[in-house]
Amino acid sequence: MKTTHVKRAFKYRFYPTDAQAAELSRTFGCVRKVYNLALAARTEAWARQVRVNYNQTSAMLTAWKKSEELAYLNDVSSVPLQQALRHLQVAFTNFFAKRAKYPRFKSRKKSRKSAEYTTSAFRFRDGKLTLAKMVEPLDIVWSRPLPQGAVPSTVSVSQDAAGRWYVSLL
C-alpha cells in the first residue's frame, strides 16, 4: 500500500529587519515585472498566432537580465522570478483548458505582494528559515509548531494590504 504525503501549508507572521523588508519589496517588484513582461511577450506572440511556452519565457528572462534597463533583476533571487513564470504557465494552461479567463497584468496597487521560493532558494535548519540573498534568518512567530520532521518544499512570503508580513511553508 502506497502512503501519500498530504502537503499542507502552515502560515506564520514574521517581522523582517529593514534590510529584509527592502530585499523582499525589491523581490515582489521584480516578480511582478517578470510576470508582466512574460505576459506581454506571450500576448504579443498570441496575436501573431505563435505559442510561447515556459522554457521560452525562461530564456527571455535570461536575456532581460543581460539588458541594461533590467539588470536590476539580478539583484534578487532568481527562484521567485522563475516561479512567476511557472505561475503564468499555469494561468495559460487553465485559460487554454477553459478553466479560467485570459491572464491579467499585475498592477502595482492591487496585486498580491508575494514571492515563492523552492528548496534551492532557502535554508531551513534548527527551526530557522533563511531565504536566498539574505544573511539573517526571518524572525518568525511560530504560533504553532511544524509537524515533527516536516521539511518545507516551498516557502511563500507575502505582505498584506495592511503591511503585515507572512510566510507560508508547504
Side-chain angles (χ1 to χ4, degrees), residues 80-129:
L81 304 184
Q82 292 289 347
Q83 289 301 99
L85 297 178
R86 285 207 177 84
H87 292 175
L88 181 61
Q89 179 64 43
V90 170
F92 269 101
T93 302
N94 289 337
F95 165 71
F96 291 130
K98 303 207 174 0
R99 285 191 296 263
K101 291 192 188 126
Y102 194 82
R104 282 198 295 233
F105 288 98
K106 292 187 184 293
S107 77
R108 194 167 258 152
K109 292 271 182 289
K110 285 219 293 281
S111 74
R112 185 167 169 262
K113 294 178 177 171
S114 67
E116 192 174 275
Y117 295 79
T118 54
T119 36
S120 62
F122 67 83
R123 198 170 75 229
F124 186 69
R125 205 177 289 149
D126 307 324
K128 290 198 186 315
L129 178 72

mmCIF file of all heavy atoms in Angstrom, residues 80-129:
data_model
loop_
_atom_site.group_PDB
_atom_site.id
_atom_site.type_symbol
_atom_site.label_atom_id
_atom_site.label_comp_id
_atom_site.label_asym_id
_atom_site.label_seq_id
_atom_site.Cartn_x
_atom_site.Cartn_y
_atom_site.Cartn_z
ATOM 1 N N PRO A 80 12.291 33.047 -7.220
ATOM 2 C CA PRO A 80 10.931 33.599 -7.288
ATOM 3 C C PRO A 80 10.578 34.109 -8.691
ATOM 4 O O PRO A 80 9.418 34.068 -9.091
ATOM 5 C CB PRO A 80 10.965 34.762 -6.289
ATOM 6 C CG PRO A 80 12.083 34.452 -5.366
ATOM 7 C CD PRO A 80 13.093 33.715 -6.183
ATOM 8 N N LEU A 81 11.589 34.556 -9.438
ATOM 9 C CA LEU A 81 11.342 35.034 -10.799
ATOM 10 C C LEU A 81 10.948 33.873 -11.702
ATOM 11 O O LEU A 81 10.018 33.966 -12.499
ATOM 12 C CB LEU A 81 12.579 35.755 -11.353
ATOM 13 C CG LEU A 81 13.103 36.939 -10.515
ATOM 14 C CD1 LEU A 81 14.269 37.621 -11.216
ATOM 15 C CD2 LEU A 81 11.999 37.942 -10.214
ATOM 16 N N GLN A 82 11.652 32.740 -11.545
ATOM 17 C CA GLN A 82 11.303 31.537 -12.310
ATOM 18 C C GLN A 82 9.903 31.054 -11.909
ATOM 19 O O GLN A 82 9.130 30.617 -12.749
ATOM 20 C CB GLN A 82 12.308 30.408 -12.047
ATOM 21 C CG GLN A 82 13.710 30.658 -12.587
ATOM 22 C CD GLN A 82 13.795 30.588 -14.098
ATOM 23 O OE1 GLN A 82 12.883 30.129 -14.776
ATOM 24 N NE2 GLN A 82 14.889 31.077 -14.648
ATOM 25 N N GLN A 83 9.605 31.148 -10.615
ATOM 26 C CA GLN A 83 8.295 30.698 -10.130
ATOM 27 C C GLN A 83 7.182 31.565 -10.727
ATOM 28 O O GLN A 83 6.109 31.067 -11.040
ATOM 29 C CB GLN A 83 8.234 30.735 -8.599
ATOM 30 C CG GLN A 83 9.074 29.666 -7.912
ATOM 31 C CD GLN A 83 8.678 28.255 -8.318
ATOM 32 O OE1 GLN A 83 9.295 27.625 -9.156
ATOM 33 N NE2 GLN A 83 7.611 27.752 -7.725
ATOM 34 N N ALA A 84 7.447 32.860 -10.903
ATOM 35 C CA ALA A 84 6.461 33.752 -11.510
ATOM 36 C C ALA A 84 6.138 33.267 -12.925
ATOM 37 O O ALA A 84 4.978 33.269 -13.348
ATOM 38 C CB ALA A 84 6.985 35.184 -11.542
ATOM 39 N N LEU A 85 7.173 32.831 -13.640
ATOM 40 C CA LEU A 85 6.962 32.302 -14.995
ATOM 41 C C LEU A 85 6.164 31.004 -14.948
ATOM 42 O O LEU A 85 5.318 30.752 -15.811
ATOM 43 C CB LEU A 85 8.315 32.060 -15.692
ATOM 44 C CG LEU A 85 9.189 33.300 -15.939
ATOM 45 C CD1 LEU A 85 10.504 32.898 -16.589
ATOM 46 C CD2 LEU A 85 8.457 34.333 -16.789
ATOM 47 N N ARG A 86 6.427 30.183 -13.929
ATOM 48 C CA ARG A 86 5.655 28.934 -13.778
ATOM 49 C C ARG A 86 4.201 29.251 -13.483
ATOM 50 O O ARG A 86 3.304 28.604 -14.000
ATOM 51 C CB ARG A 86 6.236 28.080 -12.643
ATOM 52 C CG ARG A 86 7.518 27.415 -13.051
ATOM 53 C CD ARG A 86 7.809 26.127 -12.305
ATOM 54 N NE ARG A 86 9.034 25.568 -12.852
ATOM 55 C CZ ARG A 86 10.260 25.942 -12.454
ATOM 56 N NH1 ARG A 86 10.405 26.841 -11.494
ATOM 57 N NH2 ARG A 86 11.322 25.409 -13.003
ATOM 58 N N HIS A 87 3.968 30.240 -12.628
ATOM 59 C CA HIS A 87 2.592 30.625 -12.300
ATOM 60 C C HIS A 87 1.869 31.122 -13.548
ATOM 61 O O HIS A 87 0.690 30.830 -13.742
ATOM 62 C CB HIS A 87 2.573 31.715 -11.219
ATOM 63 C CG HIS A 87 3.050 31.212 -9.889
ATOM 64 N ND1 HIS A 87 3.211 32.015 -8.790
ATOM 65 C CD2 HIS A 87 3.407 29.973 -9.467
ATOM 66 C CE1 HIS A 87 3.648 31.300 -7.758
ATOM 67 N NE2 HIS A 87 3.778 30.058 -8.161
ATOM 68 N N LEU A 88 2.587 31.861 -14.392
ATOM 69 C CA LEU A 88 1.988 32.349 -15.637
ATOM 70 C C LEU A 88 1.675 31.169 -16.555
ATOM 71 O O LEU A 88 0.628 31.142 -17.206
ATOM 72 C CB LEU A 88 2.939 33.329 -16.335
ATOM 73 C CG LEU A 88 2.431 33.930 -17.643
ATOM 74 C CD1 LEU A 88 1.150 34.730 -17.429
ATOM 75 C CD2 LEU A 88 3.500 34.815 -18.282
ATOM 76 N N GLN A 89 2.579 30.183 -16.577
ATOM 77 C CA GLN A 89 2.355 28.987 -17.390
ATOM 78 C C GLN A 89 1.066 28.279 -16.951
ATOM 79 O O GLN A 89 0.246 27.884 -17.772
ATOM 80 C CB GLN A 89 3.557 28.028 -17.262
ATOM 81 C CG GLN A 89 3.428 26.739 -18.052
ATOM 82 C CD GLN A 89 3.377 26.971 -19.565
ATOM 83 O OE1 GLN A 89 4.128 27.770 -20.094
ATOM 84 N NE2 GLN A 89 2.477 26.284 -20.259
ATOM 85 N N VAL A 90 0.881 28.157 -15.643
ATOM 86 C CA VAL A 90 -0.332 27.537 -15.093
ATOM 87 C C VAL A 90 -1.560 28.354 -15.485
ATOM 88 O O VAL A 90 -2.589 27.793 -15.872
ATOM 89 C CB VAL A 90 -0.225 27.411 -13.547
ATOM 90 C CG1 VAL A 90 -1.560 27.007 -12.939
ATOM 91 C CG2 VAL A 90 0.853 26.396 -13.180
ATOM 92 N N ALA A 91 -1.425 29.681 -15.425
ATOM 93 C CA ALA A 91 -2.541 30.556 -15.791
ATOM 94 C C ALA A 91 -2.944 30.332 -17.251
ATOM 95 O O ALA A 91 -4.131 30.275 -17.576
ATOM 96 C CB ALA A 91 -2.161 32.017 -15.556
ATOM 97 N N PHE A 92 -1.944 30.176 -18.126
ATOM 98 C CA PHE A 92 -2.243 29.933 -19.539
ATOM 99 C C PHE A 92 -2.832 28.541 -19.757
ATOM 100 O O PHE A 92 -3.755 28.370 -20.548
ATOM 101 C CB PHE A 92 -0.998 30.140 -20.410
ATOM 102 C CG PHE A 92 -0.878 31.549 -20.913
ATOM 103 C CD1 PHE A 92 -0.005 32.440 -20.310
ATOM 104 C CD2 PHE A 92 -1.656 31.998 -21.969
ATOM 105 C CE1 PHE A 92 0.090 33.756 -20.761
ATOM 106 C CE2 PHE A 92 -1.570 33.310 -22.429
ATOM 107 C CZ PHE A 92 -0.692 34.190 -21.820
ATOM 108 N N THR A 93 -2.286 27.576 -19.047
ATOM 109 C CA THR A 93 -2.811 26.212 -19.144
ATOM 110 C C THR A 93 -4.292 26.203 -18.774
ATOM 111 O O THR A 93 -5.111 25.602 -19.463
ATOM 112 C CB THR A 93 -2.017 25.260 -18.211
ATOM 113 O OG1 THR A 93 -0.632 25.315 -18.580
ATOM 114 C CG2 THR A 93 -2.504 23.824 -18.333
ATOM 115 N N ASN A 94 -4.622 26.896 -17.683
ATOM 116 C CA ASN A 94 -6.018 26.975 -17.249
ATOM 117 C C ASN A 94 -6.881 27.731 -18.257
ATOM 118 O O ASN A 94 -8.029 27.377 -18.484
ATOM 119 C CB ASN A 94 -6.113 27.644 -15.874
ATOM 120 C CG ASN A 94 -5.572 26.736 -14.779
ATOM 121 O OD1 ASN A 94 -5.527 25.517 -14.941
ATOM 122 N ND2 ASN A 94 -5.152 27.324 -13.682
ATOM 123 N N PHE A 95 -6.289 28.751 -18.878
ATOM 124 C CA PHE A 95 -7.029 29.519 -19.881
ATOM 125 C C PHE A 95 -7.335 28.644 -21.108
ATOM 126 O O PHE A 95 -8.458 28.593 -21.582
ATOM 127 C CB PHE A 95 -6.229 30.760 -20.294
ATOM 128 C CG PHE A 95 -6.739 31.411 -21.558
ATOM 129 C CD1 PHE A 95 -7.955 32.087 -21.562
ATOM 130 C CD2 PHE A 95 -6.005 31.349 -22.733
ATOM 131 C CE1 PHE A 95 -8.433 32.698 -22.733
ATOM 132 C CE2 PHE A 95 -6.478 31.950 -23.905
ATOM 133 C CZ PHE A 95 -7.690 32.623 -23.902
ATOM 134 N N PHE A 96 -6.307 27.933 -21.585
ATOM 135 C CA PHE A 96 -6.496 27.088 -22.767
ATOM 136 C C PHE A 96 -7.460 25.936 -22.483
ATOM 137 O O PHE A 96 -8.160 25.470 -23.371
ATOM 138 C CB PHE A 96 -5.153 26.541 -23.281
ATOM 139 C CG PHE A 96 -4.280 27.614 -23.882
ATOM 140 C CD1 PHE A 96 -2.957 27.751 -23.489
ATOM 141 C CD2 PHE A 96 -4.780 28.502 -24.831
ATOM 142 C CE1 PHE A 96 -2.150 28.750 -24.036
ATOM 143 C CE2 PHE A 96 -3.985 29.498 -25.388
ATOM 144 C CZ PHE A 96 -2.661 29.616 -24.989
ATOM 145 N N ALA A 97 -7.492 25.507 -21.220
ATOM 146 C CA ALA A 97 -8.398 24.419 -20.836
ATOM 147 C C ALA A 97 -9.794 24.971 -20.511
ATOM 148 O O ALA A 97 -10.654 24.235 -20.039
ATOM 149 C CB ALA A 97 -7.828 23.675 -19.633
ATOM 150 N N LYS A 98 -9.975 26.266 -20.746
ATOM 151 C CA LYS A 98 -11.249 26.952 -20.491
ATOM 152 C C LYS A 98 -11.673 26.905 -19.021
ATOM 153 O O LYS A 98 -12.844 26.959 -18.694
ATOM 154 C CB LYS A 98 -12.356 26.375 -21.391
ATOM 155 C CG LYS A 98 -12.020 26.459 -22.871
ATOM 156 C CD LYS A 98 -13.273 26.535 -23.722
ATOM 157 C CE LYS A 98 -13.053 26.762 -25.210
ATOM 158 N NZ LYS A 98 -11.676 26.888 -25.693
ATOM 159 N N ARG A 99 -10.688 26.799 -18.132
ATOM 160 C CA ARG A 99 -10.980 26.810 -16.700
ATOM 161 C C ARG A 99 -10.872 28.218 -16.134
ATOM 162 O O ARG A 99 -11.251 28.464 -14.995
ATOM 163 C CB ARG A 99 -9.985 25.915 -15.947
ATOM 164 C CG ARG A 99 -10.228 24.445 -16.093
ATOM 165 C CD ARG A 99 -9.390 23.658 -15.113
ATOM 166 N NE ARG A 99 -7.957 23.797 -15.349
ATOM 167 C CZ ARG A 99 -7.230 22.918 -16.041
ATOM 168 N NH1 ARG A 99 -7.795 21.839 -16.557
ATOM 169 N NH2 ARG A 99 -5.931 23.103 -16.222
ATOM 170 N N ALA A 100 -10.271 29.118 -16.925
ATOM 171 C CA ALA A 100 -10.035 30.466 -16.405
ATOM 172 C C ALA A 100 -10.042 31.483 -17.533
ATOM 173 O O ALA A 100 -9.951 31.122 -18.703
ATOM 174 C CB ALA A 100 -8.690 30.499 -15.671
ATOM 175 N N LYS A 101 -10.118 32.739 -17.138
ATOM 176 C CA LYS A 101 -10.040 33.810 -18.121
ATOM 177 C C LYS A 101 -8.588 34.014 -18.539
ATOM 178 O O LYS A 101 -7.679 33.469 -17.919
ATOM 179 C CB LYS A 101 -10.564 35.116 -17.508
ATOM 180 C CG LYS A 101 -12.054 35.122 -17.251
ATOM 181 C CD LYS A 101 -12.490 36.556 -16.940
ATOM 182 C CE LYS A 101 -13.927 36.594 -16.488
ATOM 183 N NZ LYS A 101 -14.073 37.281 -15.202
ATOM 184 N N TYR A 102 -8.411 34.847 -19.555
ATOM 185 C CA TYR A 102 -7.052 35.169 -20.021
ATOM 186 C C TYR A 102 -6.295 35.845 -18.874
ATOM 187 O O TYR A 102 -6.873 36.680 -18.168
ATOM 188 C CB TYR A 102 -7.134 36.096 -21.241
ATOM 189 C CG TYR A 102 -5.832 36.208 -21.978
ATOM 190 C CD1 TYR A 102 -5.457 35.236 -22.902
ATOM 191 C CD2 TYR A 102 -4.961 37.273 -21.734
ATOM 192 C CE1 TYR A 102 -4.256 35.332 -23.581
ATOM 193 C CE2 TYR A 102 -3.751 37.374 -22.405
ATOM 194 C CZ TYR A 102 -3.403 36.396 -23.326
ATOM 195 O OH TYR A 102 -2.198 36.475 -23.982
ATOM 196 N N PRO A 103 -5.028 35.472 -18.677
ATOM 197 C CA PRO A 103 -4.256 36.059 -17.567
ATOM 198 C C PRO A 103 -4.203 37.588 -17.648
ATOM 199 O O PRO A 103 -4.115 38.149 -18.729
ATOM 200 C CB PRO A 103 -2.858 35.461 -17.749
ATOM 201 C CG PRO A 103 -3.066 34.228 -18.532
ATOM 202 C CD PRO A 103 -4.254 34.485 -19.416
ATOM 203 N N ARG A 104 -4.257 38.221 -16.479
ATOM 204 C CA ARG A 104 -4.235 39.681 -16.410
ATOM 205 C C ARG A 104 -2.907 40.185 -15.870
ATOM 206 O O ARG A 104 -2.233 39.488 -15.109
ATOM 207 C CB ARG A 104 -5.345 40.162 -15.480
ATOM 208 C CG ARG A 104 -6.711 40.119 -16.148
ATOM 209 C CD ARG A 104 -7.677 40.983 -15.406
ATOM 210 N NE ARG A 104 -7.903 40.462 -14.059
ATOM 211 C CZ ARG A 104 -9.103 40.223 -13.572
ATOM 212 N NH1 ARG A 104 -10.162 40.445 -14.286
ATOM 213 N NH2 ARG A 104 -9.233 39.754 -12.350
ATOM 214 N N PHE A 105 -2.599 41.413 -16.247
ATOM 215 C CA PHE A 105 -1.376 42.035 -15.740
ATOM 216 C C PHE A 105 -1.528 42.319 -14.252
ATOM 217 O O PHE A 105 -2.620 42.611 -13.780
ATOM 218 C CB PHE A 105 -1.083 43.333 -16.498
ATOM 219 C CG PHE A 105 -0.607 43.092 -17.896
ATOM 220 C CD1 PHE A 105 -1.472 43.172 -18.973
ATOM 221 C CD2 PHE A 105 0.715 42.738 -18.129
ATOM 222 C CE1 PHE A 105 -1.036 42.910 -20.267
ATOM 223 C CE2 PHE A 105 1.157 42.473 -19.418
ATOM 224 C CZ PHE A 105 0.292 42.559 -20.491
ATOM 225 N N LYS A 106 -0.421 42.243 -13.542
ATOM 226 C CA LYS A 106 -0.429 42.529 -12.116
ATOM 227 C C LYS A 106 -0.136 44.014 -11.921
ATOM 228 O O LYS A 106 0.868 44.514 -12.409
ATOM 229 C CB LYS A 106 0.650 41.705 -11.408
ATOM 230 C CG LYS A 106 0.343 40.216 -11.417
ATOM 231 C CD LYS A 106 1.351 39.465 -10.564
ATOM 232 C CE LYS A 106 1.127 37.969 -10.619
ATOM 233 N NZ LYS A 106 -0.129 37.547 -9.995
ATOM 234 N N SER A 107 -1.020 44.679 -11.227
ATOM 235 C CA SER A 107 -0.830 46.115 -11.015
ATOM 236 C C SER A 107 -0.014 46.348 -9.752
ATOM 237 O O SER A 107 0.019 45.516 -8.855
ATOM 238 C CB SER A 107 -2.171 46.813 -10.882
ATOM 239 O OG SER A 107 -2.711 46.577 -9.603
ATOM 240 N N ARG A 108 0.625 47.503 -9.708
ATOM 241 C CA ARG A 108 1.440 47.838 -8.548
ATOM 242 C C ARG A 108 0.556 47.972 -7.312
ATOM 243 O O ARG A 108 0.934 47.594 -6.218
ATOM 244 C CB ARG A 108 2.151 49.159 -8.838
ATOM 245 C CG ARG A 108 3.274 49.460 -7.886
ATOM 246 C CD ARG A 108 4.131 50.583 -8.403
ATOM 247 N NE ARG A 108 5.353 50.070 -8.977
ATOM 248 C CZ ARG A 108 6.038 50.657 -9.947
ATOM 249 N NH1 ARG A 108 5.600 51.771 -10.466
ATOM 250 N NH2 ARG A 108 7.157 50.128 -10.385
ATOM 251 N N LYS A 109 -0.638 48.525 -7.512
ATOM 252 C CA LYS A 109 -1.527 48.779 -6.384
ATOM 253 C C LYS A 109 -2.234 47.516 -5.904
ATOM 254 O O LYS A 109 -2.249 47.205 -4.728
ATOM 255 C CB LYS A 109 -2.600 49.791 -6.789
ATOM 256 C CG LYS A 109 -2.066 51.189 -7.055
ATOM 257 C CD LYS A 109 -2.047 52.019 -5.775
ATOM 258 C CE LYS A 109 -1.553 53.427 -6.031
ATOM 259 N NZ LYS A 109 -0.127 53.484 -6.336
ATOM 260 N N LYS A 110 -2.864 46.820 -6.853
ATOM 261 C CA LYS A 110 -3.778 45.765 -6.451
ATOM 262 C C LYS A 110 -3.174 44.389 -6.255
ATOM 263 O O LYS A 110 -3.702 43.583 -5.513
ATOM 264 C CB LYS A 110 -4.914 45.655 -7.474
ATOM 265 C CG LYS A 110 -5.926 46.779 -7.343
ATOM 266 C CD LYS A 110 -7.353 46.305 -7.557
ATOM 267 C CE LYS A 110 -7.602 45.855 -8.974
ATOM 268 N NZ LYS A 110 -7.810 46.964 -9.911
ATOM 269 N N SER A 111 -2.091 44.115 -6.981
ATOM 270 C CA SER A 111 -1.643 42.727 -6.982
ATOM 271 C C SER A 111 -1.123 42.303 -5.606
ATOM 272 O O SER A 111 -0.602 43.104 -4.837
ATOM 273 C CB SER A 111 -0.562 42.520 -8.029
ATOM 274 O OG SER A 111 0.651 43.085 -7.592
ATOM 275 N N ARG A 112 -1.280 41.031 -5.347
ATOM 276 C CA ARG A 112 -0.830 40.459 -4.090
ATOM 277 C C ARG A 112 0.686 40.495 -4.079
ATOM 278 O O ARG A 112 1.333 40.032 -5.023
ATOM 279 C CB ARG A 112 -1.320 39.011 -4.010
ATOM 280 C CG ARG A 112 -1.024 38.350 -2.686
ATOM 281 C CD ARG A 112 -1.788 37.049 -2.544
ATOM 282 N NE ARG A 112 -1.272 36.338 -1.391
ATOM 283 C CZ ARG A 112 -0.377 35.366 -1.486
ATOM 284 N NH1 ARG A 112 0.065 34.996 -2.659
ATOM 285 N NH2 ARG A 112 0.063 34.756 -0.400
ATOM 286 N N LYS A 113 1.244 41.054 -3.029
ATOM 287 C CA LYS A 113 2.695 41.109 -2.934
ATOM 288 C C LYS A 113 3.177 39.778 -2.403
ATOM 289 O O LYS A 113 2.999 39.468 -1.223
ATOM 290 C CB LYS A 113 3.116 42.232 -1.984
ATOM 291 C CG LYS A 113 2.771 43.605 -2.509
ATOM 292 C CD LYS A 113 3.165 44.663 -1.498
ATOM 293 C CE LYS A 113 2.909 46.049 -2.033
ATOM 294 N NZ LYS A 113 3.078 47.054 -0.985
ATOM 295 N N SER A 114 3.763 38.977 -3.280
ATOM 296 C CA SER A 114 4.247 37.677 -2.816
ATOM 297 C C SER A 114 5.374 37.174 -3.686
ATOM 298 O O SER A 114 5.568 37.604 -4.819
ATOM 299 C CB SER A 114 3.105 36.655 -2.819
ATOM 300 O OG SER A 114 2.702 36.404 -4.146
ATOM 301 N N ALA A 115 6.133 36.261 -3.107
ATOM 302 C CA ALA A 115 7.232 35.625 -3.814
ATOM 303 C C ALA A 115 7.320 34.199 -3.314
ATOM 304 O O ALA A 115 7.095 33.928 -2.129
ATOM 305 C CB ALA A 115 8.538 36.372 -3.555
ATOM 306 N N GLU A 116 7.623 33.289 -4.218
ATOM 307 C CA GLU A 116 7.671 31.878 -3.865
ATOM 308 C C GLU A 116 9.087 31.339 -4.044
ATOM 309 O O GLU A 116 9.695 31.546 -5.086
ATOM 310 C CB GLU A 116 6.691 31.116 -4.763
ATOM 311 C CG GLU A 116 6.439 29.696 -4.317
ATOM 312 C CD GLU A 116 5.349 29.052 -5.169
ATOM 313 O OE1 GLU A 116 4.165 29.238 -4.856
ATOM 314 O OE2 GLU A 116 5.690 28.376 -6.150
ATOM 315 N N TYR A 117 9.572 30.679 -3.016
ATOM 316 C CA TYR A 117 10.924 30.113 -3.032
ATOM 317 C C TYR A 117 10.844 28.594 -2.981
ATOM 318 O O TYR A 117 10.113 28.043 -2.162
ATOM 319 C CB TYR A 117 11.721 30.591 -1.811
ATOM 320 C CG TYR A 117 11.994 32.078 -1.774
ATOM 321 C CD1 TYR A 117 11.015 32.982 -1.370
ATOM 322 C CD2 TYR A 117 13.240 32.586 -2.133
ATOM 323 C CE1 TYR A 117 11.263 34.356 -1.329
ATOM 324 C CE2 TYR A 117 13.495 33.946 -2.095
ATOM 325 C CZ TYR A 117 12.511 34.826 -1.692
ATOM 326 O OH TYR A 117 12.753 36.170 -1.657
ATOM 327 N N THR A 118 11.588 27.922 -3.858
ATOM 328 C CA THR A 118 11.657 26.460 -3.797
ATOM 329 C C THR A 118 12.903 26.076 -2.987
ATOM 330 O O THR A 118 13.710 26.946 -2.647
ATOM 331 C CB THR A 118 11.731 25.844 -5.209
ATOM 332 O OG1 THR A 118 12.823 26.454 -5.906
ATOM 333 C CG2 THR A 118 10.442 26.078 -5.975
ATOM 334 N N THR A 119 13.055 24.785 -2.734
ATOM 335 C CA THR A 119 14.117 24.311 -1.833
ATOM 336 C C THR A 119 15.508 24.847 -2.123
ATOM 337 O O THR A 119 16.284 25.042 -1.201
ATOM 338 C CB THR A 119 14.209 22.766 -1.825
ATOM 339 O OG1 THR A 119 13.923 22.303 -3.138
ATOM 340 C CG2 THR A 119 13.249 22.164 -0.835
ATOM 341 N N SER A 120 15.828 25.106 -3.381
ATOM 342 C CA SER A 120 17.187 25.565 -3.690
ATOM 343 C C SER A 120 17.419 27.003 -3.204
ATOM 344 O O SER A 120 18.551 27.462 -3.159
ATOM 345 C CB SER A 120 17.435 25.491 -5.196
ATOM 346 O OG SER A 120 16.532 26.352 -5.869
ATOM 347 N N ALA A 121 16.331 27.699 -2.855
ATOM 348 C CA ALA A 121 16.467 29.116 -2.527
ATOM 349 C C ALA A 121 16.196 29.463 -1.066
ATOM 350 O O ALA A 121 16.032 30.618 -0.716
ATOM 351 C CB ALA A 121 15.553 29.943 -3.430
ATOM 352 N N PHE A 122 16.131 28.442 -0.225
ATOM 353 C CA PHE A 122 16.028 28.743 1.205
ATOM 354 C C PHE A 122 16.695 27.647 2.000
ATOM 355 O O PHE A 122 16.946 26.556 1.504
ATOM 356 C CB PHE A 122 14.562 28.927 1.654
ATOM 357 C CG PHE A 122 13.720 27.667 1.592
ATOM 358 C CD1 PHE A 122 13.738 26.738 2.621
ATOM 359 C CD2 PHE A 122 12.888 27.437 0.497
ATOM 360 C CE1 PHE A 122 12.953 25.595 2.563
ATOM 361 C CE2 PHE A 122 12.108 26.284 0.431
ATOM 362 C CZ PHE A 122 12.143 25.366 1.467
ATOM 363 N N ARG A 123 17.036 27.995 3.237
ATOM 364 C CA ARG A 123 17.645 27.017 4.128
ATOM 365 C C ARG A 123 16.782 26.945 5.376
ATOM 366 O O ARG A 123 16.450 27.973 5.971
ATOM 367 C CB ARG A 123 19.064 27.467 4.484
ATOM 368 C CG ARG A 123 19.909 26.324 5.027
ATOM 369 C CD ARG A 123 21.367 26.723 5.150
ATOM 370 N NE ARG A 123 21.547 27.593 6.307
ATOM 371 C CZ ARG A 123 22.204 28.752 6.269
ATOM 372 N NH1 ARG A 123 22.725 29.196 5.163
ATOM 373 N NH2 ARG A 123 22.312 29.479 7.358
ATOM 374 N N PHE A 124 16.400 25.745 5.731
ATOM 375 C CA PHE A 124 15.604 25.558 6.938
ATOM 376 C C PHE A 124 16.396 24.645 7.860
ATOM 377 O O PHE A 124 16.571 23.471 7.587
ATOM 378 C CB PHE A 124 14.245 24.935 6.583
ATOM 379 C CG PHE A 124 13.313 24.849 7.768
ATOM 380 C CD1 PHE A 124 12.775 25.993 8.335
ATOM 381 C CD2 PHE A 124 12.982 23.615 8.300
ATOM 382 C CE1 PHE A 124 11.917 25.917 9.428
ATOM 383 C CE2 PHE A 124 12.124 23.524 9.399
ATOM 384 C CZ PHE A 124 11.587 24.682 9.953
ATOM 385 N N ARG A 125 16.915 25.231 8.927
ATOM 386 C CA ARG A 125 17.744 24.457 9.851
ATOM 387 C C ARG A 125 17.473 24.877 11.281
ATOM 388 O O ARG A 125 17.402 26.069 11.563
ATOM 389 C CB ARG A 125 19.221 24.690 9.505
ATOM 390 C CG ARG A 125 20.105 23.524 9.946
ATOM 391 C CD ARG A 125 21.543 23.729 9.536
ATOM 392 N NE ARG A 125 21.724 23.588 8.102
ATOM 393 C CZ ARG A 125 22.638 24.231 7.396
ATOM 394 N NH1 ARG A 125 23.453 25.077 7.984
ATOM 395 N NH2 ARG A 125 22.753 24.046 6.094
ATOM 396 N N ASP A 126 17.315 23.905 12.161
ATOM 397 C CA ASP A 126 17.063 24.169 13.588
ATOM 398 C C ASP A 126 15.929 25.166 13.786
ATOM 399 O O ASP A 126 16.025 26.087 14.598
ATOM 400 C CB ASP A 126 18.334 24.702 14.275
ATOM 401 C CG ASP A 126 19.538 23.798 14.040
ATOM 402 O OD1 ASP A 126 19.338 22.566 13.998
ATOM 403 O OD2 ASP A 126 20.656 24.318 13.891
ATOM 404 N N GLY A 127 14.872 25.003 13.011
ATOM 405 C CA GLY A 127 13.725 25.883 13.158
ATOM 406 C C GLY A 127 13.960 27.305 12.688
ATOM 407 O O GLY A 127 13.192 28.201 12.993
ATOM 408 N N LYS A 128 15.073 27.508 11.946
ATOM 409 C CA LYS A 128 15.351 28.843 11.423
ATOM 410 C C LYS A 128 15.272 28.814 9.904
ATOM 411 O O LYS A 128 15.811 27.909 9.266
ATOM 412 C CB LYS A 128 16.743 29.310 11.860
ATOM 413 C CG LYS A 128 16.820 29.605 13.350
ATOM 414 C CD LYS A 128 18.035 30.450 13.671
ATOM 415 C CE LYS A 128 18.250 30.658 15.160
ATOM 416 N NZ LYS A 128 17.040 31.006 15.916
ATOM 417 N N LEU A 129 14.596 29.816 9.344
ATOM 418 C CA LEU A 129 14.407 29.887 7.902
ATOM 419 C C LEU A 129 15.176 31.078 7.332
ATOM 420 O O LEU A 129 14.946 32.215 7.723
ATOM 421 C CB LEU A 129 12.917 30.045 7.589
ATOM 422 C CG LEU A 129 12.554 30.189 6.117
ATOM 423 C CD1 LEU A 129 12.730 28.861 5.388
ATOM 424 C CD2 LEU A 129 11.120 30.670 5.970
#
